[in-house]
Amino acid sequence: MSAAWYPAGSCPRVEGVTTTTTTVPTEAPPRGLTPLGLLTLLLGTALPMIDFFIVNVALPTIEHDLHAAPATLEMVVAGYAVAYAVLLVLGGRLGDGHGRRRLFLWGVAGFGLTSLVCGLAPTAGWLVAARIAQGAASAALLPQVLATIHATTSGERRARAVALYGSVGGVSVVLGQVLGGVLVAADLAGTGWRAVFLVNVPVAVAALVCAVRSVPESRAERPARGDLAGTTLLAATLTALLLPLTEGRAAGWPLWSVLLLCAAPLCGAGFYGVERRAERAGGSPLLPPSLLIAPEVRRGLLLGLPVFIGFAGWMFVSAVTLQQGLGYGALGAGLTLVPMGVAQFAASMLAPRVVRRFGGRAVALAAVVHIAGLATVTATALLGPWPHLSPLALSPGLVLCGLGQGLQLPLYYRILLAAIPARLAGTGSGLAATLQQSCLAVGVATLGSLFLSLVPGLGMREALAVVLAVQAAGLAGLGWLGLRLPAKIM
């Protein structure tokens, strides 16, 4: 089963970005973000992340209760993930034009409503449809979080807010798995798996009430025109890429998945051509090509590749290893990862200080710590009493992995968003999240498939060692990129 999870200072001008005085929106000065407003935004961020992992834990009971076929179960996961990723950039663009607070409110309300529909779904088909709608709601709310932080904070306040945002991912992974196991096992009032969706409803209502009172509005002063062709082609590109990556492995890579993967680069080329022509003509492209080719933006996006591909592979491989290799239950596997989540949260809180001390080299430091954690986990698996390893034996390596991840995520968002002009804050936030979601699918399809292909011949312990070595190689590349960053990060 595929799994996904999971700037400080003023923004420098992006060299080479084409602007026109008639269509480029300027940012209206918003009021500042209060602590309650930030907490509300982070609560909204956690909702879609926690929901994904809760659902993964509940899939076996969904299969039993709704008599769902394996392909339908895959769509419960893939439908949400694809809709979420495909609409993120559009969600950010709508927030820039129509108000980020407004889109956040609509997204949270939609997430709560679709969660209710999921929890009451009478059939597997209803559940799949509701999950797709839930992914769309998540895509409306999530880009507004970073965009609002970007538009309403500066300096150290922005650095701390981005660090907190980065910490939400790691905490959500652990909380989702633990909470999912608890809710399914508790079978509250006979709700069984339905509780993992229904629990979102009161949380969404609370977030909605707080957001009305505390989240400031921000938007582009002159909204950009719509870009129907660009939106359609971007959706086609991401669907052609992500749908086979999330569904193809479990289905044995049927012909349709291969054809879609072949079509993805063609759709991508068409999207780039349409956007380039629109920008040259003074239009309002969904994703300006001049933004994508700006050196600072490309560098930020490149940093995200090994981080998110490796994280997705790690979460998939660790889940299989803990539950099938070591015999842990779903709840036990989630509790085993608690030290990693705690360490990730702590490291993310220290990220602003680490950046002040080491500058761009903080990326290299995070990579070194993470590699040390992977090496420790590998040594524990190879030298320990397999398959009787205890969670305590695994915790030193997991803590180091959490420390490395806790530094990497805030640094990725900080470096990338610092290169995004304030007028494109929503679009940039959607771009950052789209890369994250796409890499998560790629990570499961590549590292996850590699792991499963190695297990029959090598055994699970040795297959784990090989995959972690591949992930470490990617992190070594991240460290090399970190050494090439400027001494001072905005």
Side-chain angles (χ1 to χ4, degrees), residues 437-449:
Q437 293 301 316
S438 300
C439 286
L440 293 175
V442 171
V444 173
T446 54
L447 296 180
S449 296

Side-chain angles (χ1 to χ4, degrees), residues 346-370:
S348 66
M349 294 296 94
L350 294 175
R353 297 183 184 179
V354 174
V355 170
R356 286 198 301 269
R357 174 68 176 83
F358 296 100
R361 296 182 184 273
V363 174
L365 174 63
V368 169
V369 174
H370 199 164

Side-chain angles (χ1 to χ4, degrees), residues 342-410:
V342 172
Q344 182 167 336
F345 180 81
S348 66
M349 294 296 94
L350 294 175
R353 297 183 184 179
V354 174
V355 170
R356 286 198 301 269
R357 174 68 176 83
F358 296 100
R361 296 182 184 273
V363 174
L365 174 63
V368 169
V369 174
H370 199 164
I371 291 171
L374 295 177
T376 303
V377 171
T378 301
T380 303
L382 294 177
L383 303 177
W386 186 276
H388 304 293
L389 290 175
S390 68
L392 184 61
L394 293 168
S395 60
L398 294 176
V399 167
L400 288 173
C401 289
L403 291 174
Q405 291 166 177
L407 293 175
Q408 290 161 9
L409 296 177

Side-chain angles (χ1 to χ4, degrees), residues 258-341:
V258 177
L259 292 177
L260 277 180
L261 284 175
C262 293
L266 300 177
C267 293
F271 169 72
Y272 182 80
V274 167
E275 298 298 273
R276 184 173 59 179
R277 285 194 297 272
E279 188 171 36
R280 286 178 175 177
S284 302
L286 179 69
L287 199 57
S290 55
L291 180 67
L292 295 175
I293 64 175
E296 296 88 347
V297 175
R298 285 187 298 172
R299 183 169 54 198
L301 293 173
L302 191 59
L303 290 173
L305 295 179
V307 172
F308 296 119
I309 290 176
F311 181 84
W314 159 258
M315 291 307 302
F316 178 85
V317 170
S318 64
V320 175
T321 300
L322 291 175
Q323 296 186 53
Q324 297 184 13
L326 299 178
Y328 296 0
L331 180 57
L335 291 173
T336 300
L337 296 178
V338 166
M340 185 183 75

